[in-house]
Amino acid sequence: MDRSDLFARYDEELRTADYADVDASPNGLQVGSDEGTVEHVAFAVDAAVSTIEDAIDVGADVLVTHHGLIWGGLDRVTGREFERIAPLVRNDLSLYVSHLPLDGHQELGNAAGVADVLGLEAREPFGAMGPEHIGQRGVLSEPTSVADLTADLDDALDTGGRGVQLVDAGPAEVESVAVVTGSGVDWLDEAVDVGADLLVTGEGKQKIYHEAQEAGVNVVLAGHYATETFGVQSLQSLAEEWGLETTYIDEPTGL
């Protein structure tokens, strides 16, 4: 397959262009060339020296990640930026990135993956980011103990031993659940507005404890990395359907 064809397929599926004005990450091809062919694609949550080296070691032509190397511009390529970008260029390894588009995709995205774990039904977009959404909400088939849901996430997610945290601030049994993966506690007010009993996200901020108590909404902090493995794994499955060899590089951060 031509690299340009692979990138175009992902861009179309993920609606990459629609997120251009709301995402600090330049999504799509971030480093490298769209010329030439691709036979082997590596996938990782984070673009870092270690994951880039692993992709090179397995002979990948393209590395697809959720978190890329550029955020809001790049002034110069020195220091850490050079150490990350130089191996990509030297080894003709193209870096394709999908940040918010992969959070918000309602079938392939990170929030959709968490919703699958929880068995949410009647799903709708959640987590407004300008005109787009970066999360998902839904309802459980029956009211369920928030403690049981927390335990289910702890069992299912790759938390790197960190464990899932519960801010126990709402009803003991929940039915309506909102999900924004990664760093999503800023969407607590939207969760309140839609009547959610529980907001599931990755990492928290100090203020969320009191805000959740005052709002009467439970908040689960399941880990930034742990809640954001689903999207790249979905893109890996697509690449395999398209006849490409793939490798998933798992490097849980415990954060």
Side-chain angles (χ1 to χ4, degrees):
M1 179 185 292
D2 289 340
R3 295 192 196 200
S4 59
D5 185 24
L6 175 67
F7 303 148
R9 290 188 188 194
Y10 278 151
D11 284 343
E12 181 179 4
E13 178 62 48
L14 295 163
R15 297 191 301 110
T16 299
D18 294 340
Y19 285 80
D21 293 333
V22 299
D23 200 344
S25 170
N27 296 300
L29 178 61
Q30 199 170 89
V31 179
S33 174
D34 64 354
E35 296 182 354
T37 60
V38 52
E39 296 181 359
H40 190 160
V41 187
F43 297 82
V45 173
D46 302 306
V49 171
S50 57
T51 56
I52 291 167
E53 289 178 345
D54 285 346
I56 293 167
D57 287 344
V58 299
D61 306 300
V62 174
L63 173 62
V64 175
T65 68
H66 178 51
H67 300 130
L69 298 180
I70 302 170
W71 300 91
L74 186 63
D75 293 329
R76 63 189 69 204
V77 182
T78 60
R80 183 180 297 113
E81 286 73 21
F82 178 81
E83 295 300 323
R84 290 174 168 177
I85 292 173
L88 293 168
V89 176
R90 289 178 185 140
N91 292 276
D92 192 23
L93 176 64
S94 298
L95 175 65
Y96 182 95
V97 175
S98 187
H99 184 230
L100 295 186
L102 195 52
D103 284 324
H105 195 289
Q106 296 297 294
E107 287 81 37
L108 304 176
N110 292 316
V114 174
D116 287 343
V117 171
L118 295 173
L120 298 186
E121 302 173 351
R123 301 185 194 182
E124 298 180 3
F126 175 81
M129 190 77 160
E132 301 299 332
H133 291 83
I134 59 171
Q136 194 169 88
R137 68 184 177 99
V139 295
L140 299 164
S141 58
E142 59 183 14
T144 304
S145 161
V146 69
D148 287 345
L149 290 178
T150 303
D152 289 343
L153 288 170
D154 205 16
D155 289 339
L157 300 183
D158 186 2
T159 63
R162 168 187 176 275
V164 174
Q165 295 177 289
L166 169 65
V167 181
D168 191 358
E173 289 197 333
V174 302
E175 187 170 6
S176 177
V177 181
V179 182
V180 176
T181 61
S183 181
V185 294
D186 290 337
W187 281 267
L188 178 66
D189 287 342
E190 186 178 342
V192 173
D193 290 343
V194 301
D197 306 309
L198 169 65
L199 172 64
V200 178
T201 188
E203 63 182 272
K205 301 175 182 177
Q206 167 68 15
K207 65 178 184 177
I208 195 60
Y209 174 84
H210 294 291
E211 290 180 349
Q213 298 292 340
E214 292 159 6
V217 176
N218 297 297
V219 177
V220 163
L221 308 175
H224 197 129
Y225 181 94
T227 58
E228 297 198 327
T229 60
F230 298 98
V232 289
Q233 290 174 348
S234 294
L235 296 185
Q236 180 182 13
S237 295
L238 280 182
E240 290 172 352
E241 290 176 11
W242 297 334
L244 297 171
E245 181 182 356
T246 71
T247 299
Y248 178 62
I249 300 166
D250 188 23
E251 191 170 324
T253 65
L255 300 174

